[in-house]
Amino acid sequence: MFKQLGPAPVPADDLAASLAPFGQSRMLPREAYVDPAVFEWEQGGIFSGWRCVGHADDIAAIGGQKAVGSGANGVLLVRGEDGLVRAFANSCRHRGHELLTCGAETKRRSIVCPYHAWSYRLDGSLRNAPGFKDSGAFDASGFGLAELRLVNWHGWLFVDPSGLDVDFSAHVAGLEDVIAPYQPENLTIVARHSYELATNWKVIAENYQECYHCSSIHPELSRISPPDSGENLNLPGSWMGGWMSMIDEAETMSLDGKSGGVAIKGLSEHELRSVMYLVGYPNLLVSLHPDYIMTHLMTPLAVDRTHVECAWAFPREVADKPGFDPSYAVDFWDLTNRQDWAACESVQRGLSSPHARPGPLAPDEDGVYQFVTRVAKAYQG
């Protein structure tokens, strides 16, 4: 993606094996999951391009501010006086101090650096630099915050810290007709769960891309959605994914297949009988259900550690109803998540063995192949 970095520090022969035709290929090199040097390369070679940094509702009020990520890819999200959310590098123009610490949130009419109290308007322009008022050589217009490319797409916020990635329309090419019927921007987030996993972020995405494992570790899910159902999409952009069907008796993904909410208006018969699972490469997993949308937002913390925030959004007509209980969806997926997390952490421990070698992909793992080849091509530099 960003050729100035050069290729990732992984064995060339193993990388070539990952890019072989499906049916002959192997998983990514072991180093991709356990080597801190590869993790550091990914921060500049993958995560400095378009990535999801949250939901627009996370910064709901004018003056709302939130810091996401740290270091080279640290972002400050701010909702301005005009109601728009903007993204800035989380670095004061004076001495570089973070404007907010990673994960911190605040609400105020200006952006204030806690180090020397330089302050900025909500559009990023410099408002006040203490001690510089009488300096005739100081031009405040030259010291505004560095603004980053940001797109609010169906309520999800995407930032390109590098400014070098493709146009956002190319990043999500082929997805508008898939996403739009579910109207995610009009749904309300009702519940969130946070998890910190002892595994590499790619292990989570690969697990999400296949149901080869479902009959082994997801008996509840397999009763509602046959593991061998559905098919994967062939999308021209950076995303990937596919759909799976539900049994005839089921209304949605829940422990008994029943919905405690209402169907999203305007969905087709196929959309009402299936669930679409999408990987918003690299860090957003989107599950489109007939009556709710679930997302997993991944934040890689280390080569073997990933934070995941899971959010459930429902149509407003049911979300705003007094006494609405989203547990039919939340409890089902929390159970399924934890089954997945245990498997992913076991994979990470297994890959830490010096004897681990890239394995082959099963015929049902074509979705994993889509993800693996996307990463492998990025590794080539």
Side-chain angles (χ1 to χ4, degrees), residues 26-375:
R26 295 287 186 268
M27 289 300 301
L28 291 167
R30 170 182 173 271
E31 289 79 0
Y33 307 95
V34 301
D35 189 342
V38 177
F39 179 82
E40 289 303 316
W41 184 95
E42 290 172 347
Q43 301 313 297
I46 294 177
F47 282 87
S48 65
W50 289 116
R51 77 178 197 272
C52 185
V53 292
H55 197 276
D57 286 350
D58 296 342
I59 310 99
I62 290 174
Q65 302 169 33
K66 182 177 182 179
V68 179
S70 61
N73 295 333
V75 174
L76 181 69
L77 302 172
V78 179
R79 189 173 291 276
E81 300 284 356
D82 55 5
L84 299 178
V85 178
R86 292 176 176 83
F88 303 102
N90 190 13
S91 176
C92 181
R93 289 298 309 279
H94 174 224
R95 295 266 294 280
H97 195 285
E98 292 173 312
L99 300 160
L100 281 179
T101 57
C102 179
E105 299 181 53
T106 190
K107 179 181 176 294
R108 57 196 306 175
R109 289 289 176 167
S110 60
I111 303 163
V112 181
C113 177
Y115 194 16
H116 297 99
W118 277 42
S119 64
Y120 304 84
R121 298 176 182 87
L122 299 180
D123 64 2
S125 60
L126 182 63
R127 167 177 278 169
N128 183 44
F132 284 82
K133 183 177 181 181
D134 298 325
S135 176
F138 181 72
D139 181 5
S141 66
F143 292 94
L145 298 178
E147 188 167 358
L148 310 176
R149 286 206 292 177
L150 177 144
V151 173
N152 180 343
W153 189 63
H154 291 291
W156 296 303
L157 300 175
F158 296 87
V159 173
D160 171 24
S162 71
L164 300 174
D165 208 343
V166 298
D167 288 342
F168 187 76
S169 60
H171 179 68
V172 295
L175 276 164
E176 191 61 33
D177 290 344
V178 177
I179 293 283
Y182 293 86
Q183 309 168 60
E185 64 275 19
N186 294 326
L187 304 187
T188 299
I189 296 175
V190 172
R192 300 176 191 261
H193 281 188
S194 289
Y195 310 89
E196 188 166 317
L197 311 185
T199 192
N200 185 273
W201 67 277
K202 296 184 295 296
V203 173
I204 301 170
E206 290 160 0
N207 175 83
Y208 182 83
Q209 275 289 85
E210 52 95 352
C211 211
Y212 183 42
H213 68 277
C214 289
S215 58
S216 299
I217 71 169
H218 296 316
E220 298 83 5
L221 181 148
S222 298
R223 284 197 295 268
I224 305 300
S225 181
D228 58 353
S229 67
E231 61 183 63
N232 287 313
L233 306 178
N234 185 17
L235 298 167
S238 299
W239 288 40
M240 61 208 81
W243 58 270
M244 293 179 63
S245 62
M246 299 182 296
I247 60 174
D248 291 342
E249 298 81 5
E251 299 171 341
T252 192
M253 298 300 289
S254 65
L255 288 171
D256 60 5
K258 302 300 181 183
S259 173
V262 297
I264 297 170
K265 292 179 180 177
L267 295 183
S268 68
E269 184 61 28
H270 174 73
E271 291 159 346
L272 290 170
R273 303 299 317 144
S274 62
V275 180
M276 180 67 72
Y277 299 97
L278 298 169
V279 175
Y281 182 81
N283 71 321
L284 180 67
L285 312 178
V286 180
S287 306
L288 305 170
H289 298 73
D291 54 338
Y292 62 92
I293 291 178
M294 177 181 65
T295 56
H296 295 81
L297 181 62
M298 298 188 294
T299 302
L301 302 175
V303 69
D304 58 355
R305 196 158 53 92
T306 308
H307 179 269
V308 179
E309 182 182 83
C310 192
W312 290 264
F314 297 80
R316 287 176 181 165
E317 62 265 32
V318 68
D320 294 340
K321 188 178 297 184
F324 170 63
D325 183 2
S327 63
Y328 75 95
V330 174
D331 290 353
F332 174 84
W333 281 111
D334 181 56
L335 170 65
T336 305
N337 283 339
R338 293 180 187 278
Q339 293 165 343
D340 281 326
W341 304 158
C344 290
E345 292 182 333
S346 181
V347 167
Q348 186 69 32
R349 291 191 297 270
L351 288 171
S352 69
S353 167
H355 303 289
R357 296 291 183 271
L361 293 170
D364 288 342
E365 293 182 296
D366 52 319
V368 181
Y369 180 75
Q370 289 183 339
F371 179 80
V372 164
T373 53
R374 189 68 47 89
V375 174

